[in-house]
Amino acid sequence: GILHSDRVLLLCHRTANRDLPENTLASLALAARMGCDIVEVDVRRTADGSLVLNHDGFLDRFTDTTGEVENTDLRELDHMDFGAWMGERFGGMRVAHFDDALRLARELRVGLYLDIKIEGIGKQVLAALRSAGMMNQVMFGGEWDDIHRLDPEANGDPGAGVQPGFTRDDVQKLHEQHKIVIANFILNGHEFDLDGMRQAVALGVDGIMVDYPRLGAEA
């Protein structure tokens, strides 16, 4: 699986979301170019059945339009600006189609953590992965129960997350249980904790999950 490696992995939360508008192709590419091995993206389905990258579904946060992704056709989304909300210089970025994100990840040789945001799209997600040749380059989170039913081998890596403050003994005990240990530096007040990231690497974790790939790469 994609968590197995001979070096400490760098995982990025929601693409390079602090540098470029989240869940865009440009932000995915930047995360890869900054050294991320695995990039988390959020997957939703539009009203007309297309898969796109989007986190919370509300268009208000990302565009000058109100509404929800699930109630909007792809052709409408394609005409919306998904970058200007973060600053004028990012204007003109478009919603990322799932198929395009898969192709880009394959070209840049990065794995994807797919956070499935709505139920019942597993069959379509798996079909897209097979078509893109990315079945062995992803892991799943969120609403992925139907994916597990369709593909019992999905998420075969026995991962275990730890929060800052863990010890070397904590890591060793998890390794004895054959767990792959990922230290979390997102959504916990440690997003800028470079010293903590360095310590995590020194304590023997298998990967670190970050919001700021530049810091993670430095660690």
Side-chain angles (χ1 to χ4, degrees):
I2 61 174
L3 290 182
H4 289 277
S5 176
D6 57 0
R7 59 189 173 84
V8 180
L9 294 170
L10 181 58
L11 296 85
C12 178
H13 175 230
R14 211 180 299 174
T15 65
N17 68 88
R18 307 299 175 132
D19 294 282
L20 288 174
E22 65 182 59
N23 278 312
T24 59
L25 295 180
S27 191
L28 170 58
L30 181 60
R33 289 168 180 147
M34 286 195 290
C36 295
D37 301 286
I38 300 171
V39 182
E40 186 219 25
V41 297
D42 303 290
V43 185
R44 292 184 175 274
R45 184 163 60 189
T46 66
D48 55 348
S50 299
L51 298 178
V52 296
L53 304 191
N54 182 269
H55 180 262
D56 48 34
F58 296 106
L59 295 173
D60 310 55
R61 184 159 75 90
F62 303 102
T63 73
D64 59 359
T65 304
T66 60
E68 299 180 9
V69 169
E70 282 81 13
N71 297 325
T72 309
D73 287 347
L74 181 63
R75 59 185 177 78
E76 296 178 71
L77 293 175
D78 281 341
H79 286 92
M80 298 178 188
D81 191 320
F82 276 78
W85 66 271
M86 193 173 184
E88 184 177 348
R89 62 194 293 248
F90 304 116
M93 291 188 180
R94 301 305 177 191
V95 67
H97 298 196
F98 185 55
D99 289 342
D100 291 337
L102 293 180
R103 282 192 289 270
L104 181 61
R106 187 182 65 237
E107 291 170 4
L108 297 176
R109 300 181 181 180
V110 293
L112 294 178
Y113 183 110
L114 304 179
D115 189 349
I116 309 298
K117 307 308 289 188
I118 59 174
E119 298 179 354
I121 63 174
K123 183 176 181 180
Q124 189 174 356
V125 169
L126 290 175
L129 291 172
R130 293 189 186 100
S131 178
M134 285 286 290
M135 280 293 293
N136 296 322
Q137 298 299 319
V138 297
M139 53 192 296
F140 302 97
E143 305 290 348
W144 73 285
D145 287 349
D146 59 338
I147 291 176
H148 182 63
R149 289 193 296 270
L150 293 166
D151 181 7
E153 296 184 0
N155 275 15
D157 289 333
V162 293
Q163 301 295 327
F166 64 88
T167 66
R168 187 181 298 275
D169 285 344
D170 295 330
V171 176
Q172 289 178 345
K173 288 177 182 178
L174 289 169
H175 281 161
E176 289 170 1
Q177 299 170 29
H178 306 290
K179 300 290 187 180
I180 300 169
V181 183
I182 307 297
N184 180 34
F185 290 91
I186 66 169
L187 305 177
N188 58 10
H190 290 268
E191 293 85 354
F192 294 99
D193 188 2
L194 178 57
D195 289 340
M197 295 175 193
R198 287 172 170 158
Q199 183 182 30
V201 173
L203 292 177
V205 300
D206 302 293
I208 57 175
M209 169 74 87
V210 301
D211 265 322
Y212 294 90
R214 298 175 196 277
L215 294 179
E218 176 68 18

